[in-house]
Amino acid sequence: MTRLCRTFQTAPAAVPKENSAKYLESGLTAEGFEAPDWLVPDIEDGTAPEMKAEAIENTVDRLSTLAPSFGGEIWPRIEWAHDSKRLRKRGREQITTLVGQVGDQLDGIVVPKVGRLADVEAANRAVAEAEREHGYDDGSIEVAIIVETAAAVSDLHTIAQLGENDRLGAFVFGPVDYTADLGGRAMDNERPRWNGVLERLSNEASAGGIVAIGGPFDRLFDKRAGVTYYNAPGYADQIEHEARIGFDGSWSLHPKQTAQANRIHMPTADELDRAVGNIEQFNDAKRDGTGAVIINGQMVDEATYKNFANTVATVRAIDDTHPSQTGEYYDAALLDRTRAVEL
Amino acid sequence: MTRLCRTFQTAPAAVPKENSAKYLESGLTAEGFEAPDWLVPDIEDGTAPEMKAEAIENTVDRLSTLAPSFGGEIWPRIEWAHDSKRLRKRGREQITTLVGQVGDQLDGIVVPKVGRLADVEAANRAVAEAEREHGYDDGSIEVAIIVETAAAVSDLHTIAQLGENDRLGAFVFGPVDYTADLGGRAMDNERPRWNGVLERLSNEASAGGIVAIGGPFDRLFDKRAGVTYYNAPGYADQIEHEARIGFDGSWSLHPKQTAQANRIHMPTADELDRAVGNIEQFNDAKRDGTGAVIINGQMVDEATYKNFANTVATVRAIDDTHPSQTGEYYDAALLDRTRAVEL
Amino acid sequence: MTRLCRTFQTAPAAVPKENSAKYLESGLTAEGFEAPDWLVPDIEDGTAPEMKAEAIENTVDRLSTLAPSFGGEIWPRIEWAHDSKRLRKRGREQITTLVGQVGDQLDGIVVPKVGRLADVEAANRAVAEAEREHGYDDGSIEVAIIVETAAAVSDLHTIAQLGENDRLGAFVFGPVDYTADLGGRAMDNERPRWNGVLERLSNEASAGGIVAIGGPFDRLFDKRAGVTYYNAPGYADQIEHEARIGFDGSWSLHPKQTAQANRIHMPTADELDRAVGNIEQFNDAKRDGTGAVIINGQMVDEATYKNFANTVATVRAIDDTHPSQTGEYYDAALLDRTRAVEL
């Protein structure tokens, strides 16, 4: 079955509020389109330096109570940096604590600021050791890396190949740190979109059997004529681009973003209708003995077919786990054809 | 001499029509600007599964009779896939049959859906074995690969180096399968253009001494206000982009596309005039002892010179093989200067 | 301290004028914003073939007299080409002469038209041998390569790793030769911008601890309605793009370009104000125990912080060496805050 990771929502694991686990709790209990496919308790940059211990406590506590009824996957982001021995040591301690205390609730660990291949291998080993120490099967807890250094992008070709035999399960883009690492400048307050890097991330992820997830969109709010409003179009533009080039999911910093990205990473009703219709016509043509047919001026053959099959398979996966989402998004007749068409 | 491969025209080798070799015949007998530089009898995706045997028969038969008087190169596309043992076995059989029956007519074999380096090496070996078995010199039949999987793009750096010592002769981009392999989505019915991948293809092809050819443009027809028409501007946009970034040729699905791509991959009269004129002025300046001259506000030196020399060399190659095309495209005085200018 | 190389100004080392060292002299004596951070006496493509000997003489002579009072770095460009034994031999002779005669004045040697890794290693060895022969410490004279062949771009991943342990200090893009090497065509008289290659250059340079510098902009002048004028906007567009994606500096062919690029590679007053302001607010938030703060709708955390810190560090480096430039560019209160803010 197609794995769902439409949304990678980070939630600061401890914030200076009366309930320091406020965001963690709301992520774990969100409903409908606001429920992320992957929830990421953030012990790294989203948590202030002096609240790290409380962040770990909150994560252990809330995962114990709330994760069992959470429908998605759980991936805490720990501290790590290829150029800091101190942070790697802290990261190893955090991995051991999390695996030891709430290993049953974890799908994987998110490791930020990794460097060249050897550093990613070190992160993988740290998780393997924690698994062994606490009696989990080898490979039961995966690793997602944030690709946000020049060193990691430089070694992406070999890092991705870890996905073929190893626990590496996801690439997540980190454009803010990445831009800083390259010495880039946000002129007019806009960062480059790094189109070439995004294409490589998508390619290497697919080549290595790894999931690819976009970077955060931090211009959450915009302001015009004195009114501040949620920046829905800016976020949608980024997520649509990511979907187009084959990213499996997108980063979310807020439930509103999650509600948008969950929808954008679903095929539109038009796309689904075209995909189902073309596969139906293509299946008919195959039965009639024609290898390629022209439908609405577009040649459809075994190759184009695959794109349409991807679309149908994704909708089926969402339909299996979130029938309320597909029920809201598509009309009943189209859903019936989606479930029935032969792939 | 500059090798010509302005057009890579695929022709389904068997179609369910009274004359199942209709497209193959019309490709092999096309005249003027509709004659492709490379004709590709398509036994793969363009031919229906149950017509593969007939496609091979047609190819053997029509190449025997029509290829000797065809002016361009002949490159059949066989079946192959890096992730299918069954298809690789069929591909090997098809290679053996074609080399055995019409080896004298073949310039190369087009191998689709290749994966990592080892898979490309396997395809090369299959052709080498067929050559040996049927008494052809080693390397007399080349291989073109369709670059359309994440695995092939991932290994492009090493695959291209096969071009230096081996039979690998061309990279052809396959955007439809490529987009499907990455899980990309054609939102608004538009696929990404994969600019980063195109740049890498052009670069690695040049580094390995390999020819680079663009992917098919399948929106052959457009419709507006009830009228369906050939989509000439859409195709031209793609081919011009390919020419700009150093692709040697473009894929054609139709004689009208061939007629366009053959022209676009010729320098325009303006380009040729500027190239010849700048080389003439540059040669004069060199004789006068100036290393760099400013012509129309642009600095021209040894470096810019090379671009202009490429332009002249391409026109000379077309002029040698298709004087009717250059005669139609350029005025006589410019052609005379093109033939005369010292490179 | 941040190394300054905002401008890489080439000056033809011998031109057919009464004073054949005219441009070399004006580069070495330029003042204010027209003084380049790096001056490149050009013995290669900027100098006519029959003036190479005079170019070497001029370089030795003018560096001896003018370099000691020149504020920037000196990097002569010698002759070299990965595909020409003759040019590599000349390059070695030129390196030996320059290191022997004016080694004290040289920061490095610029080597053009390098090919694969082995060729860059050969260039590095040529400089190492000249150092040893003339009694300079190993590594005291660096190497910058012009990245302008398909072969160099193909091997960029391993070439950049020379930067970690070796004398390789800078990548400079050479788009004219690069386009010619790939067989690209300047349709409508525009070359491709090679965005994917630029991203890779910036990435690999950062990964290898190497400086990245953009390519020349040769449309120095434009003409409209009979009036020829300096093309300031065209150049500025290119330089701003380079700054955005993390290039450390830009190529200049003219003092006017140097004056522009020196300014563009300085943060704008707005950028600096925002950077200093955000760091001040972020430092306050850290003291108050908040890990991430929202300033003007943008989330600021440890990651975004780095971008702002880069901005401040660059201004401090310019302020240390060219206080007249910072004095002209920023108001006094902002400069005081820039000097004072805690990084």
Side-chain angles (χ1 to χ4, degrees):
Chain A
M1 201 188 85
T2 306
R3 181 184 202 169
L4 289 181
C5 61
R6 291 171 293 170
T7 38
F8 174 98
Q9 182 182 317
T10 48
V15 287
K17 292 188 182 281
E18 195 170 324
N19 173 6
S20 73
K22 180 180 191 300
Y23 296 128
L24 197 50
E25 287 177 10
S26 69
L28 285 163
T29 57
E31 295 189 349
F33 277 112
E34 292 200 346
D37 285 343
W38 291 20
L39 183 75
V40 180
D42 186 7
I43 298 158
E44 200 218 11
D45 287 345
T47 293
E50 65 287 0
M51 299 190 78
K52 301 296 186 192
E54 193 169 346
I56 298 275
E57 274 171 46
N58 284 347
T59 302
V60 167
D61 182 73
R62 299 315 193 275
L63 290 190
S64 305
T65 55
L66 299 173
S69 57
F70 175 69
E73 302 190 13
I74 307 272
W75 289 77
R77 175 162 76 162
I78 51 98
E79 293 183 278
W80 190 276
H82 72 114
D83 52 2
S84 162
K85 203 170 170 176
R86 183 182 68 82
L87 284 175
R88 286 197 304 280
K89 186 166 173 291
R90 290 173 65 123
R92 282 194 190 89
E93 293 164 0
Q94 291 165 357
I95 290 170
T96 303
T97 304
L98 291 169
V99 172
Q101 304 283 313
V102 284
D104 287 343
Q105 309 305 334
L106 302 183
D107 294 278
I109 298 286
V110 177
V111 185
K113 298 185 181 62
V114 293
R116 292 201 180 271
L117 176 64
D119 188 52
V120 178
E121 290 174 328
N124 281 354
R125 271 198 309 276
V127 174
E129 282 162 21
E131 269 175 351
R132 202 164 43 238
E133 189 184 334
H134 297 288
Y136 287 96
D137 287 346
D138 181 57
S140 54
I141 298 172
E142 290 181 81
V143 164
I145 60 169
I146 317 251
V147 177
E148 56 188 335
T149 66
V153 170
S154 181
D155 276 9
L156 209 56
H157 176 246
T158 46
I159 291 172
Q161 293 180 45
L162 293 179
E164 293 169 16
N165 315 308
D166 208 277
R167 73 181 60 243
L168 188 63
F171 283 160
V172 187
F173 187 43
V176 179
D177 270 284
Y178 182 68
T179 302
D181 200 40
L182 264 63
R185 281 166 63 197
M187 287 180 154
D188 309 322
N189 213 9
E190 286 278 358
R191 270 193 313 275
R193 204 169 59 168
W194 303 114
N195 286 318
V197 176
L198 292 176
E199 285 189 21
R200 282 190 65 211
L201 267 174
S202 184
N203 187 85
E204 295 304 328
S206 292
I210 291 170
V211 151
I213 297 168
F217 179 81
D218 55 14
R219 296 179 59 180
L220 275 169
F221 298 97
D222 232 328
K223 195 174 177 174
R224 190 158 174 185
V227 175
T228 296
Y229 55 95
Y230 173 67
N231 186 2
Y235 186 66
D237 284 348
Q238 176 176 317
I239 302 330
E240 286 178 4
H241 179 67
E242 290 168 0
R244 211 181 287 270
I245 62 171
F247 274 59
D248 305 89
S250 295
W251 192 312
S252 162
L253 293 166
H254 193 282
K256 279 185 202 266
Q257 291 190 338
T258 301
Q260 282 189 287
N262 273 338
R263 283 185 176 89
I264 292 172
H265 284 293
M266 294 174 74
T268 63
D270 276 357
E271 281 179 289
L272 181 60
D273 188 49
R274 191 169 51 241
V276 172
N278 283 354
I279 292 179
E280 288 168 347
Q281 288 190 53
F282 182 72
N283 287 346
D284 290 348
K286 256 201 324 200
R287 274 188 288 274
D288 299 348
T290 323
V293 289
I294 289 182
I295 300 174
N296 300 329
Q298 186 176 8
M299 185 166 304
V300 179
D301 59 13
E302 298 279 357
T304 12
Y305 172 86
K306 272 194 208 166
N307 274 322
F308 300 129
N310 277 341
T311 300
V312 171
T314 299
V315 174
R316 286 179 177 176
I318 301 169
D319 193 46
D320 284 346
T321 53
H322 302 276
S324 70
Q325 292 186 12
T326 47
E328 182 185 325
Y329 212 62
Y330 308 112
D331 73 41
L334 180 56
L335 264 180
D336 285 344
R337 286 167 60 208
T338 304
R339 292 170 188 140
V341 70
E342 183 193 347
L343 289 192
Chain B
M1 201 188 84
T2 305
R3 182 183 202 171
L4 287 182
C5 61
R6 291 170 294 170
T7 38
F8 175 98
Q9 182 181 317
T10 49
V15 287
K17 293 189 183 278
E18 196 171 322
N19 173 6
S20 73
K22 180 181 191 297
Y23 295 128
L24 196 50
E25 286 177 10
S26 69
L28 285 162
T29 57
E31 295 188 347
F33 277 112
E34 292 198 346
D37 285 344
W38 291 20
L39 183 76
V40 181
D42 186 8
I43 298 158
E44 201 219 9
D45 287 346
T47 293
E50 65 287 359
M51 299 190 77
K52 300 296 186 193
E54 194 169 344
I56 297 276
E57 274 171 45
N58 284 346
T59 303
V60 167
D61 183 73
R62 298 316 193 273
L63 290 191
S64 304
T65 54
L66 299 173
S69 57
F70 175 70
E73 302 191 13
I74 307 272
W75 288 76
R77 175 163 77 162
I78 50 98
E79 293 183 279
W80 189 276
H82 72 113
D83 52 2
S84 164
K85 204 171 170 177
R86 183 182 68 82
L87 284 174
R88 287 197 303 280
K89 187 166 172 291
R90 290 173 65 122
R92 281 193 190 88
E93 292 163 2
Q94 292 165 357
I95 290 168
T96 303
T97 304
L98 292 169
V99 172
Q101 304 284 311
V102 283
D104 287 343
Q105 309 305 335
L106 303 181
D107 294 278
I109 299 285
V110 177
V111 185
K113 298 185 180 64
V114 293
R116 292 200 180 272
L117 175 65
D119 188 52
V120 178
E121 290 173 329
N124 280 354
R125 270 198 309 275
V127 175
E129 281 162 22
E131 270 175 352
R132 200 163 44 238
E133 189 184 333
H134 296 287
Y136 288 97
D137 287 347
D138 182 56
S140 54
I141 298 173
E142 289 182 82
V143 164
I145 60 169
I146 316 250
V147 177
E148 56 188 337
T149 66
V153 171
S154 180
D155 276 9
L156 209 56
H157 176 246
T158 46
I159 290 172
Q161 294 180 45
L162 293 179
E164 292 169 16
N165 314 308
D166 207 279
R167 73 182 59 243
L168 189 62
F171 283 160
V172 187
F173 187 42
V176 179
D177 271 283
Y178 182 68
T179 302
D181 200 40
L182 265 63
R185 281 166 62 197
M187 287 177 154
D188 310 323
N189 213 12
E190 285 277 0
R191 271 194 312 276
R193 205 169 59 168
W194 303 115
N195 286 319
V197 176
L198 292 176
E199 284 189 21
R200 282 190 64 212
L201 267 173
S202 184
N203 187 85
E204 295 304 328
S206 292
I210 291 171
V211 151
I213 297 168
F217 179 81
D218 54 13
R219 297 179 59 178
L220 276 168
F221 297 97
D222 231 329
K223 194 175 177 173
R224 191 158 174 185
V227 175
T228 296
Y229 54 95
Y230 172 68
N231 186 2
Y235 186 66
D237 284 348
Q238 177 177 315
I239 303 332
E240 286 178 3
H241 179 67
E242 290 167 1
R244 211 181 286 271
I245 63 171
F247 275 58
D248 304 88
S250 295
W251 193 311
S252 163
L253 293 166
H254 193 282
K256 279 185 201 267
Q257 290 191 339
T258 301
Q260 282 190 287
N262 273 338
R263 282 184 177 89
I264 293 172
H265 284 292
M266 295 175 74
T268 63
D270 275 357
E271 281 180 288
L272 181 59
D273 187 50
R274 190 169 52 241
V276 172
N278 283 354
I279 292 179
E280 289 167 347
Q281 288 189 52
F282 181 72
N283 286 346
D284 290 349
K286 258 204 321 202
R287 273 188 288 275
D288 299 349
T290 322
V293 289
I294 290 181
I295 301 175
N296 300 329
Q298 186 177 7
M299 185 167 304
V300 179
D301 60 13
E302 297 279 357
T304 13
Y305 171 86
K306 273 195 205 167
N307 275 321
F308 300 129
N310 277 342
T311 300
V312 170
T314 300
V315 173
R316 287 180 176 177
I318 302 168
D319 194 45
D320 285 345
T321 54
H322 303 274
S324 71
Q325 292 185 11
T326 45
E328 181 185 325
Y329 212 62
Y330 308 112
D331 73 40
L334 180 56
L335 265 181
D336 286 345
R337 286 167 59 208
T338 303
R339 292 170 189 139
V341 70
E342 182 193 350
L343 290 192
Chain C
M1 201 189 86
T2 305
R3 182 183 201 169
L4 288 181
C5 61
R6 291 171 294 170
T7 38
F8 174 98
Q9 181 182 319
T10 49
V15 287
K17 293 188 183 280
E18 196 172 323
N19 173 6
S20 72
K22 178 181 192 299
Y23 296 129
L24 196 51
E25 286 177 10
S26 70
L28 285 163
T29 56
E31 295 191 348
F33 277 111
E34 292 199 346
D37 285 344
W38 291 21
L39 183 76
V40 181
D42 186 9
I43 298 156
E44 201 219 10
D45 287 346
T47 292
E50 65 286 359
M51 299 191 77
K52 301 297 187 193
E54 192 169 345
I56 297 274
E57 274 172 45
N58 284 346
T59 303
V60 167
D61 182 73
R62 299 313 193 275
L63 290 191
S64 305
T65 54
L66 299 173
S69 56
F70 176 70
E73 302 190 12
I74 306 272
W75 289 76
R77 175 162 77 162
I78 50 97
E79 293 183 278
W80 190 276
H82 72 113
D83 52 2
S84 163
K85 204 170 170 177
R86 182 182 68 83
L87 283 175
R88 287 198 303 280
K89 186 166 173 290
R90 291 173 64 122
R92 283 194 189 88
E93 292 163 2
Q94 291 164 357
I95 290 169
T96 303
T97 304
L98 291 169
V99 172
Q101 303 286 311
V102 281
D104 287 343
Q105 308 306 335
L106 303 182
D107 294 278
I109 299 286
V110 177
V111 185
K113 298 186 182 61
V114 292
R116 293 201 180 272
L117 176 64
D119 188 53
V120 178
E121 291 173 329
N124 280 354
R125 270 198 309 277
V127 175
E129 281 161 22
E131 269 175 352
R132 201 164 43 238
E133 189 184 334
H134 296 288
Y136 288 97
D137 287 346
D138 182 57
S140 55
I141 297 173
E142 289 183 81
V143 164
I145 60 169
I146 317 250
V147 176
E148 56 187 337
T149 66
V153 171
S154 181
D155 276 10
L156 209 56
H157 177 245
T158 46
I159 290 173
Q161 294 180 45
L162 294 179
E164 293 169 16
N165 314 308
D166 208 279
R167 73 181 61 242
L168 188 63
F171 283 159
V172 186
F173 188 42
V176 179
D177 271 282
Y178 182 68
T179 302
D181 200 39
L182 264 63
R185 281 166 62 198
M187 287 179 154
D188 310 322
N189 213 9
E190 285 278 359
R191 270 194 313 275
R193 203 169 60 167
W194 303 114
N195 286 317
V197 176
L198 293 175
E199 285 189 21
R200 282 189 65 211
L201 268 173
S202 184
N203 187 86
E204 295 305 329
S206 292
I210 291 170
V211 152
I213 297 168
F217 180 81
D218 54 14
R219 296 179 59 180
L220 276 169
F221 297 97
D222 231 330
K223 193 174 178 174
R224 191 159 173 183
V227 175
T228 297
Y229 55 94
Y230 172 68
N231 186 1
Y235 186 67
D237 284 348
Q238 176 177 316
I239 302 331
E240 286 178 3
H241 179 67
E242 290 168 0
R244 211 181 288 271
I245 62 171
F247 275 58
D248 304 88
S250 295
W251 193 312
S252 162
L253 293 167
H254 193 283
K256 279 185 201 269
Q257 290 190 337
T258 301
Q260 281 190 286
N262 273 337
R263 283 185 177 89
I264 292 173
H265 284 293
M266 294 175 75
T268 63
D270 275 356
E271 281 179 290
L272 181 60
D273 187 49
R274 190 169 52 242
V276 172
N278 283 354
I279 292 179
E280 288 167 346
Q281 289 189 52
F282 182 72
N283 287 347
D284 289 349
K286 258 202 322 200
R287 273 188 289 273
D288 299 349
T290 322
V293 288
I294 290 182
I295 300 174
N296 299 331
Q298 185 176 9
M299 185 167 304
V300 180
D301 60 12
E302 297 280 356
T304 13
Y305 172 86
K306 272 195 207 166
N307 274 322
F308 300 129
N310 277 342
T311 301
V312 171
T314 300
V315 173
R316 286 181 177 175
I318 302 169
D319 194 46
D320 284 346
T321 53
H322 302 275
S324 70
Q325 293 186 10
T326 47
E328 181 185 325
Y329 213 62
Y330 307 112
D331 74 40
L334 180 56
L335 264 180
D336 285 344
R337 286 167 59 209
T338 304
R339 293 170 188 139
V341 69
E342 182 192 349
L343 290 192

